[in-house]
Amino acid sequence: MFQTFKEWFWLERFWLPPKVTWSDLEDHDGLVFVKPSHLYMTIPYAFVLLIVRYFFEKFIATPLAKTFGIKEAVRKVAPNTILENFFKHSTRRPCQNEIYGLAKKSNLTERQVERWFRSRRNQERPCRMQKFREACWRFAFYLMITIAGIVFLYDKPWVYDLWEVWNGYPRQPLLPSQYWYYILEMSFYWSLLFSLGSDVKRKDFLAHVIHHLAAISLMSFSWCANYIRSGTLVMIVHDVADIWLESAKMFSYAGWTQTCNTLFFIFSTIFLISRLIIFPFWILHCTLVVPMIYLEPFFSYIFLNLQLMVLQVLHLYWGYFILKMLKRCIFMKNIQDVRSDDEDEYEEEEEEDEEQEKEGAAKGKEKECLKNGLGANRHLIPNGQHGR
């Protein structure tokens, strides 16, 4: 049954233009062509990247973060077996009746129980150090792969003449630079997918999973159907903007607001130009219109362009959020990624908690002074003026 499915899946009419067979893409005369089996190497390379990332974050990103003044946050909470069991097995956010019952069981006040649960929730929140390390790693990779992409592509004729993308398709041999560009890019997305469980949890966690799977799927499909030339153009257009986004995040975590804003403006400009102008009017035109000069419509051509059009819809979706953040930056002088985690909420909770605590202590002190006939400044109150 598996063999039958395999034979059906690799039918030439699904992947290749009419009158072209897989035998036409066999290596000959020193020319190497793409093979689906090449993609197996992306998995072990992904684990190699995870190892490289571990050492990069430990020996480069962490010292860099400390140079920026970012400290490893230590959030400790007083051990309490009753509250810990309730936190793990019932809910992280107890209602008022549950807080009342837990306060009686643990011989604490309701206020102390509320503080314990807030501190316990915040203990599991990611610290700025962890977020800085992750952004630093992504920045380093995107910078490296963008430079590599430019080096690989600057002398290729299809970068300057879109007609060359389809000249001779699908009998286009694979170049070593194309091989490594594709394999490294795919391995990186596999590594991001594998590390989602340990990375900072964000509001758009599911969107990240879908994005990584879609990227891997699109690159795998374009590889198997030998859309390598157009695939490399799609990758370079996407990578060139991500460098600025990750660098903006790094400076945001470091508290360099002005630098973060400047980098975010650069990212926004490059994103809007590369993904809302170059991608639809250059890349999509190249994959949707130009091939019809050389070929008749076939399945993989249709499927490829459907994926690219879905990708363009995502660009419009992300562009909306970027414009929203730009508006916030211009009119409110504050940039916060609307897709990010709730660390700012954590800080607000802590500040609010401290303020409430100070107010409570001040009120308690004032009451005690009034009982003893003293004012809030510890001076005697004249008789008959307590109620004024």
Side-chain angles (χ1 to χ4, degrees):
M1 182 178 178
F2 176 76
Q3 186 63 30
T4 304
F5 172 79
K6 183 180 176 182
E7 291 175 0
W8 172 83
F9 183 79
W10 292 110
L11 282 175
E12 290 156 347
R13 70 171 183 266
F14 291 153
W15 298 92
L16 302 173
K19 301 178 181 178
V20 178
T21 65
W22 290 116
S23 60
D24 295 324
L25 300 181
E26 291 180 357
D27 299 347
H28 60 85
D29 301 327
L31 299 177
V32 178
F33 293 86
V34 295
K35 298 176 181 61
S37 58
H38 289 157
L39 299 181
Y40 295 148
M41 291 304 299
T42 59
I43 302 299
Y45 283 142
F47 286 104
V48 171
L49 283 177
L50 288 175
I51 296 171
V52 173
R53 173 182 173 176
Y54 171 80
F55 288 105
F56 176 88
E57 291 184 355
K58 184 174 182 179
F59 296 109
I60 297 178
T62 300
L64 184 60
K66 291 178 179 177
T67 302
F68 281 117
I70 302 173
K71 297 179 180 179
E72 195 85 52
V74 180
R75 300 165 187 161
K76 292 184 179 179
V77 61
N80 188 304
T81 307
I82 295 172
L83 300 183
E84 185 68 28
N85 286 335
F86 189 90
F87 181 88
K88 287 183 176 179
H89 302 110
S90 296
T91 178
R92 297 157 58 96
R93 295 180 180 272
C95 63
Q96 198 58 44
N97 289 336
E98 291 170 330
I99 289 174
Y100 176 77
L102 289 168
K104 283 199 165 188
K105 287 181 184 179
S106 55
N107 294 323
L108 298 172
T109 64
E110 291 181 38
R111 176 65 177 161
Q112 287 173 322
V113 172
E114 288 176 353
R115 273 185 56 81
W116 189 95
F117 273 93
R118 183 181 293 113
S119 299
R120 184 66 180 83
R121 288 194 301 270
N122 291 334
Q123 190 178 40
E124 297 189 350
R125 293 181 187 272
C127 62
R128 287 186 181 275
M129 175 70 81
Q130 183 182 352
K131 295 199 291 184
F132 181 91
R133 285 194 295 249
E134 292 181 9
C136 190
W137 163 247
R138 292 192 296 268
F139 165 77
F141 181 85
Y142 285 131
L143 179 62
M144 181 273 295
I145 202 69
T146 301
I147 294 173
I150 293 170
V151 172
F152 292 159
L153 294 174
Y154 84 96
D155 60 344
K156 303 300 184 291
W158 61 84
V159 176
Y160 311 100
D161 183 3
L162 296 181
W163 298 96
E164 287 295 323
V165 170
W166 297 98
N167 187 19
Y169 178 84
R171 301 175 182 86
Q172 298 170 338
L174 176 66
L175 303 175
S177 59
Q178 293 173 322
Y179 173 85
W180 286 110
Y181 192 23
Y182 250 86
I183 295 299
L184 285 174
E185 189 92 32
M186 288 186 64
S187 300
F188 177 69
Y189 279 106
W190 275 120
S191 72
L192 290 181
L193 197 62
F194 295 154
S195 63
L196 276 175
S198 58
D199 285 347
V200 172
K201 298 293 187 300
R202 300 185 182 276
K203 293 177 183 177
D204 59 345
F205 174 83
L206 183 59
H208 271 79
V209 175
I210 294 172
H211 172 267
H212 298 338
L213 287 174
I216 292 169
S217 171
L218 182 57
M219 285 187 282
S220 300
F221 175 79
S222 64
W223 179 273
C224 294
N226 204 16
Y227 295 122
I228 303 297
R229 294 184 180 181
S230 57
T232 53
L233 297 179
V234 171
M235 290 192 292
I236 194 68
V237 164
H238 283 74
D239 291 338
V240 72
D242 291 332
I243 305 169
W244 303 98
L245 176 62
E246 298 303 334
S247 60
K249 287 182 179 180
M250 289 167 59
F251 283 101
S252 173
Y253 301 145
W256 292 33
T257 307
Q258 191 59 45
T259 307
C260 169
N261 291 352
T262 302
L263 291 170
F264 184 77
F265 277 121
I266 296 172
F267 160 73
S268 302
T269 304
I270 294 176
F271 181 95
L272 295 174
I273 292 173
S274 63
R275 303 197 192 185
L276 299 186
I277 298 176
I278 294 177
F279 185 83
F281 297 107
W282 184 45
I283 304 293
L284 270 178
H285 175 79
C286 171
T287 60
L288 193 61
V289 178
V290 175
M292 294 298 93
I293 307 298
Y294 294 97
L295 306 163
E296 297 177 4
F298 55 102
F299 178 81
S300 67
Y301 156 81
I302 297 170
F303 189 66
L304 172 71
N305 284 287
L306 282 176
Q307 291 183 86
L308 293 177
M309 284 188 277
V310 170
L311 189 58
Q312 181 57 29
V313 172
L314 289 175
H315 292 164
L316 294 171
Y317 171 77
W318 289 323
Y320 164 76
F321 282 109
I322 288 169
L323 292 173
K324 193 175 178 180
M325 285 185 278
L326 278 176
K327 180 182 176 183
R328 178 182 296 172
C329 177
I330 294 169
F331 294 104
M332 300 176 63
K333 305 298 182 184
N334 176 43
I335 288 180
Q336 178 188 345
D337 191 341
V338 293
R339 304 168 301 155
S340 64
D341 54 73
D342 300 332
E343 177 157 320
D344 292 332
E345 293 175 15
Y346 154 74
E347 292 173 355
E348 289 171 7
E349 281 184 1
E350 288 293 300
E351 290 172 5
E352 182 183 347
D353 195 49
E354 286 176 8
E355 287 175 6
Q356 289 176 356
E357 205 170 55
K358 287 177 182 176
E359 287 176 8
K363 286 179 182 177
K365 188 176 180 181
E366 187 176 345
K367 285 181 181 178
E368 185 181 347
C369 291
L370 288 171
K371 285 180 183 178
N372 295 324
L374 299 173
N377 58 0
R378 308 293 298 177
H379 293 300
L380 287 169
I381 300 176
N383 287 337
Q385 295 184 12
H386 290 78
R388 290 185 186 180

